[in-house]
Amino acid sequence: RVRPSRRFAFALRGFKFVPMPPAPAPSVIRKRRDFLAANKGLRVARPGFVLLARPNGLDDSPMRFGITVTKKIGNAVVRNRMKRRFRELLRAELPVHGLAGHDHVLIGRDGGVERDFTQLREELRAALTDALASDRFTVISAEIEPGGYDGRI
């Protein structure tokens, strides 16, 4: 038996199908200078990864993400698997729990590839919540004089 599509099933029951507008997908960080800038921001360490977050200062305040996995973690197969898992995590969690107008970078740690996916998801949510609760961004921007550089960011 062929099942009707979801839209057709709603029409049969008299319901109007109104799809939810999709959340804007975060874009990918590709430039080295953006990774280096994110490295100067907030750090939240978890057993499977380290989350870096920093305001990106772009006009339309998009959310961006980047992934870094070094050769220390393993060979190319292991690194690519870890990046695929991180990419899926970030695409699912950033639109809901991410910081708007920030760059997010995940740095893979040694035990990250063996960790359970649901456990990684919970750790990412906790890390994003910790980053959101941190007021480090406002403190840093308030202490720097316009045009001045104090060496901390």
Side-chain angles (χ1 to χ4, degrees):
R1 178 179 159 178
V2 178
R3 295 184 62 154
S5 70
R6 181 172 226 158
R7 186 172 296 184
F8 184 69
F10 279 125
L12 285 178
R13 293 189 194 126
F15 294 109
K16 184 177 179 186
F17 181 75
V18 180
M20 291 287 295
S27 58
V28 180
I29 299 173
R30 300 201 189 272
K31 305 246 186 225
R32 183 175 189 270
R33 67 174 177 242
D34 294 333
F35 280 95
L36 293 176
N39 196 30
K40 296 175 184 175
L42 178 70
R43 265 177 195 270
V44 181
R46 294 289 180 248
F49 58 85
V50 176
L51 172 71
L52 307 176
R54 182 180 166 121
N56 55 26
L58 299 175
D59 293 335
D60 52 353
S61 11
M63 205 177 309
R64 302 190 306 174
F65 73 90
I67 299 168
T68 302
V69 181
T70 63
K71 287 185 178 181
K72 186 168 44 171
I73 302 302
N75 63 11
V77 175
V78 172
R79 293 193 312 267
N80 288 335
R81 181 171 186 233
M82 183 177 266
K83 287 190 278 187
R84 282 193 306 268
R85 296 179 87 200
F86 284 167
R87 201 174 301 123
E88 182 59 32
L89 273 175
L90 289 169
R91 285 187 180 148
E93 297 300 322
L94 277 187
V96 180
H97 299 288
L99 301 155
H102 284 68
D103 289 343
H104 305 79
V105 176
L106 278 187
I107 302 174
R109 293 180 97 176
D110 209 6
V113 77
E114 291 93 14
R115 296 186 77 75
D116 186 41
F117 193 76
T118 57
Q119 192 174 16
L120 276 175
R121 177 179 286 138
E122 290 169 3
E123 289 173 0
L124 180 61
R125 285 181 185 168
L128 288 169
T129 304
D130 290 351
L132 185 62
S134 173
D135 60 348
R136 179 168 183 241
F137 299 124
T138 56
V139 171
I140 286 176
S141 62
E143 292 176 0
I144 297 175
E145 296 177 12
Y149 176 72
D150 64 356
R152 290 192 298 163
I153 57 171

